[in-house]
Amino acid sequence: MKTKNKIVLAIIIITIIFINKVDLRGKLNYSNESYKQEDKISDENSNLLLVNKSNPISEDYKPNKLVKPKVSFLKDTKDESRHMDEVAANALEELFKCAKKEGIILIGSSAYRSYESQVKIYNENVLERGIDYANKYVAIPGKSEHQTGLSIDVTNKSRCFDKTSIEAQWLANNAHRFGFILRYPEGKEDITGYNYEPWHIRYVGKEHALKIFTDNITLEEYMKMI
Ligand SMILES: [Zn+2]
């Protein structure tokens, strides 16, 4: 790596560390006393952990138990990203199995991502495509839901998972049956802070997923209701 690139990378890393320290100090103290994010991770509300641009997750947060769901992944998916929280992994296996029975072939693309991996992805994007691109399309470390182990990006054989594909339509209509929600729906960008992502599903448990699906709301809106 050239010296100039090394210096740029070092500046980026220091900036990220600084931004996240400030964010974590300021924003992990929730005003709602009954729902303290990471303190409650082991109880029945753990599947509702809210991670977004204004609710970062701490650098050292790791899911309770990571396992590899027995589903097919893309060849180039890294080993780490083939892992999920155990409960979510079991639900995902059911989802993929039922989809297959109904003629829909889904493929795992990327599930768990550690804080360190997200730092790497973010920095690579900054170096290759610039900071504006990275900020728009890549989650800043600590602000990616993939760190919870409860999310996965799925795809199809053609790797063209837009809303017109039968796989994306099936997923949008059926994910809740298995406890998953479409985390970044179309038309809710202002609330979630993310562009529409038909491929990103998030495990919240069947009861919550059904309510979120039926009311056509986001996790952000749901957390304010309960
Ligand atoms: Zn995703």
Side-chain angles (χ1 to χ4, degrees):
M1 200 188 280
K2 286 179 192 163
T3 315
K4 192 188 157 200
N5 284 351
K6 278 185 188 166
I7 294 167
V8 172
L9 187 61
I11 292 169
I12 291 163
I13 292 168
I14 291 164
T15 309
I16 290 167
I17 292 168
F18 179 75
I19 289 170
N20 277 284
K21 294 291 178 218
V22 170
D23 276 343
L24 291 175
R25 269 204 305 269
K27 290 174 179 166
L28 274 179
N29 301 318
Y30 288 85
S31 52
N32 183 353
E33 283 298 311
S34 66
Y35 185 73
K36 274 190 188 156
Q37 295 270 55
E38 293 171 38
D39 297 348
K40 291 195 124 193
I41 197 62
S42 59
D43 72 16
E44 77 273 13
N45 262 348
S46 63
N47 298 328
L48 291 176
L49 184 65
L50 181 68
V51 180
N52 58 27
K53 289 175 181 170
S54 44
N55 296 290
I57 192 169
S58 68
E59 193 176 331
D60 49 11
Y61 176 79
K62 294 236 164 30
N64 284 338
K65 191 176 178 193
L66 284 169
V67 299
K68 280 190 194 178
K70 294 180 198 75
V71 302
S72 43
F73 276 89
L74 292 173
K75 267 190 193 153
D76 50 6
T77 303
K78 286 196 309 178
D79 187 66
E80 179 187 79
S81 293
R82 291 168 186 255
H83 287 78
M84 282 187 97
D85 169 274
E86 190 178 30
V87 180
N90 292 337
L92 188 81
E93 287 176 3
E94 280 302 302
L95 185 151
F96 272 43
K97 215 189 290 172
C98 279
K100 199 175 175 187
K101 265 189 212 161
E102 295 173 28
I104 301 293
I105 307 297
L106 298 170
I107 303 166
S109 170
S110 181
Y112 174 65
R113 264 177 243 153
S114 64
Y115 183 91
E116 294 74 22
S117 295
Q118 196 66 29
V119 169
K120 206 166 160 252
I121 293 168
Y122 181 80
N123 289 343
E124 281 167 0
N125 272 274
V126 172
L127 283 178
E128 284 166 22
R129 299 179 171 117
I131 196 143
D132 290 343
Y133 177 93
N135 284 339
K136 198 167 177 193
Y137 294 104
V138 186
I140 289 177
K143 298 182 180 184
S144 167
E145 204 182 47
H146 285 273
Q147 200 188 325
T148 64
L150 298 168
S151 297
I152 180 168
D153 297 334
V154 299
T155 188
N156 53 15
K157 276 184 180 164
S158 64
R159 297 183 75 162
C160 180
F161 206 81
D162 63 22
K163 65 175 174 181
T164 61
S165 69
I166 51 163
E167 293 87 1
Q169 286 165 9
W170 186 91
L171 195 64
N173 292 322
N174 294 279
H176 68 277
R177 290 166 50 199
F178 309 91
F180 287 88
I181 57 165
L182 220 62
R183 183 69 179 86
Y184 307 117
E186 198 172 20
K188 300 273 188 176
E189 294 83 353
D190 287 351
I191 301 169
T192 62
Y194 278 90
N195 287 328
Y196 169 51
E197 288 192 4
W199 54 83
H200 180 116
I201 53 169
R202 154 70 193 267
Y203 185 76
V204 290
K206 282 183 185 172
E207 188 195 332
H208 303 302
L210 178 62
K211 283 183 198 153
I212 291 170
F213 174 78
T214 313
D215 291 354
N216 191 26
I217 54 172
T218 59
L219 186 57
E220 279 80 6
E221 292 166 291
Y222 186 65
M223 293 310 293
K224 280 185 187 159
M225 281 166 52
I226 59 170

